[in-house]
Amino acid sequence: MVFGMKTMFQQSVSCTDVFCCFIFIIVILLYAALGMVAWLHGDARKVLHPTDSNGQFCGQMETSNERKPMLFYFNVLKCANPAVLINLQCPTVQLCVSQCPDQFATYADMQLQHKHSKASWEYYRRFCRPGFNNPAKPVSEVLRDEDCPSVIVPSRPFLQRCLPDFLTVNGSVTVANRTRFKDALDVARSVAELQHAARNITGLVDTKELSMKIAEDYAKSWPWILLGLLMSSVVSLTFILLLRFMAGLLLWITIFTVMLLLAY
């Protein structure tokens, strides 16, 4: 049996699939090029720190968001979509604000109060797009153009993001002592929907934090990873070369080594 294996390994050996090998090498080179482009032109801070819909960091010095460290979601209910955890992005307008809202209000209610006092608009406009100053604009057009949120809810900061301020009252989860509320289109909503959306956002933040930590670990340990890959390549090639000349001996050594490891 050993003689037959020696004869088999002594036969001329050549690459049997040059084309697939060529494709494999091209794919590896493309992966390396993609990694280099991401490292040189990407911004790892966007994985963890909040950015608005224009890609600007909240609270960044010497920008228009310098005094706006919090991220506000126009329609936090859209974050309840399970696809948020896949796309790592909530499908709604995101705006940097100076502080989170501390009261329930809808755009329609603000318009009614604005007829008697401008204070309601001055408060509500903090959570509208910068430059928008037309409180008389119809609700349908405001929501269509995404100028302002349809409703704002009492929130508190969580990792620089405004999330609903949940409180448990008599076993029920509430926001400002409410379990239900209405948006600007007079559609009834439940606090449970807000809670589901908030869980998706926290899960999204946790995923981004984990990705950031992995990236930092790779950035610190890449020389050792590269050294390990080179060493494993040298050992693998050495083993393949030894197989050509000492196939029988290496076969028995491998068998006995596996048996000893299993016995241990």
Side-chain angles (χ1 to χ4, degrees):
M1 176 179 176
V2 176
F3 176 76
M5 292 185 64
K6 287 184 177 179
T7 305
M8 179 182 66
F9 280 102
Q10 287 174 355
Q11 293 177 354
S12 177
V13 179
S14 61
C15 185
T16 57
D17 205 335
V18 179
F19 181 71
C20 286
C21 180
F22 181 69
I23 294 178
F24 179 75
I25 293 173
I26 291 178
V27 171
I28 294 298
L29 293 176
L30 289 175
Y31 266 117
L34 180 62
M36 291 180 63
V37 171
W39 182 264
L40 294 174
H41 301 285
D43 193 341
R45 295 177 300 170
K46 290 185 178 181
V47 178
L48 183 61
H49 299 289
T51 57
D52 61 15
S53 297
N54 297 322
Q56 297 180 345
F57 290 99
C58 295
Q60 186 176 9
M61 300 295 290
E62 299 180 357
T63 65
S64 59
N65 292 332
E66 182 176 0
R67 298 183 179 180
K68 300 177 180 179
M70 305 301 172
L71 184 67
F72 172 76
Y73 299 91
F74 262 38
N75 188 355
V76 71
L77 293 174
K78 289 186 177 181
C79 302
N81 192 326
V84 169
L85 297 178
I86 299 176
N87 300 326
L88 298 180
Q89 187 69 29
C90 185
T92 186
V93 175
Q94 300 173 40
L95 187 72
C96 296
V97 295
S98 58
Q99 61 183 17
C100 299
D102 57 6
Q103 58 182 272
F104 270 109
T106 66
Y107 191 83
D109 292 339
M110 180 278 302
Q111 285 185 319
L112 293 176
Q113 297 174 11
H114 179 66
K115 297 178 181 179
H116 308 286
S117 172
K118 294 184 178 180
S120 59
W121 168 241
E122 293 300 324
Y123 177 80
Y124 203 94
R125 68 180 298 185
R126 300 178 190 175
F127 310 102
C128 297
R129 286 186 183 272
F132 179 73
N133 189 20
N134 184 13
K137 187 174 181 178
V139 175
S140 59
E141 295 182 11
V142 169
L143 300 183
R144 181 198 62 195
D145 300 335
E146 295 184 322
D147 295 317
C148 292
S150 64
V151 60
I152 57 177
V153 300
S155 306
R156 60 181 174 181
F158 175 77
L159 296 177
Q160 290 184 263
R161 292 161 175 85
C162 294
L163 297 183
D165 188 9
F166 298 108
L167 292 174
T168 302
V169 178
N170 297 326
S172 300
V173 179
T174 66
V175 174
N177 294 324
R178 296 189 188 184
T179 57
R180 301 188 66 83
F181 61 96
K182 292 184 179 181
D183 60 17
L185 299 178
D186 206 33
V187 178
R189 300 286 189 174
S190 69
V191 171
E193 295 179 78
L194 290 176
Q195 190 176 27
H196 183 49
R199 286 175 180 171
N200 276 357
I201 294 176
T202 54
L204 174 62
V205 173
D206 291 341
T207 302
K208 289 186 174 183
E209 282 186 339
L210 178 61
S211 302
M212 191 68 174
K213 290 179 180 178
I214 293 174
E216 289 177 350
D217 289 342
Y218 272 112
K220 293 178 180 178
S221 59
W222 71 266
W224 294 102
I225 296 175
L226 183 60
L227 179 61
L229 291 174
L230 291 175
M231 291 178 62
S232 62
S233 299
V234 171
V235 172
S236 300
L237 290 174
T238 303
F239 185 78
I240 292 173
L241 290 174
L242 291 175
L243 275 177
R244 182 175 179 85
F245 303 102
M246 297 183 295
L249 178 62
L250 288 177
L251 176 63
W252 287 110
I253 290 176
T254 304
I255 291 174
F256 282 117
T257 302
V258 172
M259 291 178 63
L260 290 173
L261 291 174
L262 292 176
Y264 179 78

